[in-house]
């Protein structure tokens, strides 16, 4: 409840500020976000007391105050109940992003705060733009190489080439920060022609070997991806995205013979714009991915996991109001892994 009060106070302060400034007040009151409400049918063999179907809801809100042409900020919150039970704990909000941005020129931006490290395409893209209810399974593998962290980022955007350089505390996604070990992330994205993007990212992750904070071990992660948005006609286009990850493990002794983890995801989506009064667009989407954990020694433990997703996106009345009908099948190599299929009916409204 305390977080909700904080958000309310922020909004109230922004409203008062807009009344005090004779010009530019509206620039301090820019908000956007989305609400996703779903009905889920779970195929996994759940523990006693957990339902095989449940309603769920997710909401985010972003405050984007803009001081002038050179300085702006982002403050974002997210509220999401527990999976399966759909229960909130005190209706609390999680802080997603808190960042200040300085635009030196139209090409260079310096940011400081809590933000997504520029690593992993399937994680850094906006939730409201996804063609599926859930992110790709491989985003759960990136750990301290990506996700959110506290630090600084320099972005250089020249149109055909976009470069990010980030220096952060290193603990990642809303975890307690460790000021003694910093991590570095770099990403470059090339756009050779309109609709085509090719990206590569490099990141470091470090862990201490014991409580004495000595003998830090480190590892590196690499991410490669390509996207293509190709027009098929005046009312349709085809989108493709492919991503491949290679991830080390900072917890492994550097003298150990260790094989890095790797994962890949392939997404294909077709967009058909319609002239209907109610149904304005249809976007069927397909995704396949495979995750292979790292291992020590010479023998592969055969514990790969994969997922196949299909989702039908229907824009109703507006491109900001979308119904999603989806199915996701999980499978694995391990003998004790039982394949299962989840299904969902979702409703996403952006504002």
């Amino acid at each position: 409840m305390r977080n909700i009060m904080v958000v309310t106070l922020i909004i109230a302060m922004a409203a008062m500020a807009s009344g005090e400034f004779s010009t530019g007040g509206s620039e301090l009151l820019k908000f956007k976000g989305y609400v996703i409400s779903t009905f889920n049918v779970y195929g996994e063999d759940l523990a006693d007391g957990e339902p095989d179907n449940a309603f769920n809801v997710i909401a985010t809100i972003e405050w984007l105050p803009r001081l002038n042409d050179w300085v702006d900020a982002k403050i974002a919150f997210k509220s999401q109940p527990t999976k399966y039970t759909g229960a909130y704990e005190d209706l609390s909000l999680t802080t997603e992003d808190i960042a200040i941005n300085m635009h030196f020129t139209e090409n260079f931006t310096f940011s400081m705060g809590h933000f997504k490290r520029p690593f992993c395409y399937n994680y850094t893209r906006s939730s409201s733009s996804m063609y599926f209810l859930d992110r790709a399974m491989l985003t759960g593998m990136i750990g301290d190489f990506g996700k959110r962290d506290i630090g600084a980022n320099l972005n250089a955007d020249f149109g055909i080439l976009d470069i990010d350089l980030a220096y952060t505390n290193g603990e990642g996604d809303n975890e307690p920060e460790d000021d003694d070990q910093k991590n570095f992330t770099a990403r470059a994205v090339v756009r050779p022609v309109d609709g085509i993007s090719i990206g590569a990212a490099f990141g470091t992750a470090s862990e201490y070997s014991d409580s004495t904070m000595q003998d830090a071990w480190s590892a590196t992660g690499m991410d490669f991806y390509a996207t293509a948005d190709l027009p098929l006609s005046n009312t349709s286009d085809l989108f493709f995205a492919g991503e491949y990850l290679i991830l080390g493990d900072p917890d492994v002794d550097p003298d150990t013979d260790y094989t890095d983890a790797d994962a890949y995801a392939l997404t294909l989506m077709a967009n058909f714009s319609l002239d209907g009064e109610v149904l304005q667009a249809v976007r069927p989407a397909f995704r396949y991915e495979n995750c292979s954990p790292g291992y020590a020694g010479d023998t592969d433990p055969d514990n790969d996991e994969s997922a196949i997703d299909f989702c039908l996106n229907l824009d109703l009345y507006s491109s900001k109001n979308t119904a999603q009908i989806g199915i996701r099948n999980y499978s694995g190599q391990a003998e004790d892994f039982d394949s299962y299929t989840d299904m969902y009916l979702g409703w996403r409204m952006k504002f």
Side-chain angles (χ1 to χ4, degrees):
M1 202 65 176
R2 179 179 58 186
N3 288 333
I4 294 179
M5 294 175 64
V6 171
V7 176
T8 304
L9 180 61
I10 290 173
I11 296 173
M13 291 174 63
M16 288 187 291
S18 66
E20 291 179 8
F21 291 103
S22 58
T23 59
S26 61
E27 297 297 321
L28 299 175
L29 288 173
K30 291 187 174 182
F31 295 91
K32 72 174 185 178
Y34 63 85
V35 178
I36 301 176
S37 184
T38 60
F39 176 71
N40 304 273
V41 178
Y42 303 116
E44 187 177 8
D45 209 2
L46 303 177
D48 291 342
E50 292 181 338
D52 56 4
N53 62 78
F55 288 95
N56 204 343
V57 65
I58 303 170
T60 69
I61 184 169
E62 297 179 2
W63 180 26
L64 305 169
R66 180 173 176 267
L67 189 62
N68 50 45
D69 291 340
W70 311 104
V71 182
D72 57 42
K74 178 181 179 181
I75 304 172
F77 299 89
K78 184 175 184 178
S79 185
Q80 183 174 3
T82 305
K83 187 178 180 182
Y84 303 131
T85 64
Y88 282 93
E89 294 184 2
D90 197 26
L91 294 176
S92 60
L93 300 179
T94 300
T95 305
E96 293 275 278
D97 298 295
I98 303 178
I100 304 173
N101 309 304
M102 172 68 78
H103 306 281
F104 296 113
T105 69
E106 64 179 9
N107 303 112
F108 291 92
T109 298
F110 179 73
S111 304
M112 288 187 69
H114 187 252
F115 52 84
K116 288 183 177 180
R117 290 172 66 179
F119 190 89
C120 186
Y121 165 79
N122 275 281
Y123 181 78
T124 55
R125 67 171 300 167
S126 168
S127 298
S128 63
S129 69
M130 295 195 315
Y131 311 123
F132 310 91
L133 176 63
D134 298 305
R135 291 191 182 276
M137 186 171 59
L138 58 77
T139 59
M141 299 178 63
I142 59 178
D144 290 342
F145 293 108
K147 298 196 174 181
R148 286 179 169 86
D149 205 352
I150 295 177
N153 185 83
L154 178 64
N155 173 260
D157 188 352
F158 303 102
I160 191 173
L161 176 64
D162 191 326
I163 299 174
D164 282 285
L165 301 173
Y167 189 55
T168 58
N169 282 350
E171 285 299 306
D173 215 6
N174 293 306
E175 295 292 332
E177 295 295 333
D178 183 352
D179 293 336
D180 294 322
Q181 189 65 47
K182 302 298 187 292
N183 285 331
F184 177 74
T185 312
R187 179 179 64 187
V189 182
V190 179
R191 303 181 182 93
V193 296
D194 189 29
I196 304 293
S197 296
I198 302 171
F202 170 88
T204 63
S206 303
E207 295 288 346
Y208 289 102
S209 60
D210 53 45
S211 59
T212 63
M213 310 292 279
Q214 300 296 320
D215 301 321
W217 298 334
S218 63
T220 58
M222 291 180 287
D223 175 48
F224 306 94
Y225 73 89
T227 67
D229 195 348
L230 308 174
L232 299 178
S233 68
N234 292 333
T235 59
S236 62
D237 58 278
L238 184 68
F239 174 82
F240 167 81
E243 180 170 23
Y244 179 63
L245 287 169
I246 303 174
L247 305 171
D249 190 337
D251 288 323
V252 175
D253 189 318
D255 297 328
T256 300
D257 185 13
Y258 180 80
T259 299
D260 292 341
D262 66 334
Y264 63 88
L266 305 172
T267 301
L268 190 65
M269 185 277 295
N271 178 68
F272 302 98
S273 299
L274 305 176
D275 294 327
E277 182 176 344
V278 177
L279 185 59
Q280 297 194 353
V282 176
R283 294 189 302 278
F286 171 84
R287 179 173 65 197
Y288 176 77
E289 56 180 318
N290 181 270
C291 300
S292 179
Y295 60 92
D298 298 326
T299 304
D300 188 337
D302 291 332
N303 56 353
D304 291 12
E305 295 184 10
S306 61
I308 298 175
D309 287 85
F310 176 79
C311 185
L312 181 63
N313 299 267
L314 306 172
D315 286 353
L316 305 175
Y317 297 105
S318 167
S319 60
K320 295 185 176 182
N321 187 60
T322 303
Q324 293 184 304
I325 305 170
I327 184 171
R328 190 178 204 184
N329 175 261
Y330 297 88
S331 60
Q333 291 182 332
E335 294 182 0
D336 58 349
F337 190 102
D338 294 326
S339 299
Y340 62 95
T341 301
D342 290 343
M343 295 180 287
Y344 59 89
L345 175 61
W347 177 10
R348 181 178 67 199
M349 186 195 76
K350 297 187 286 186
F351 58 88

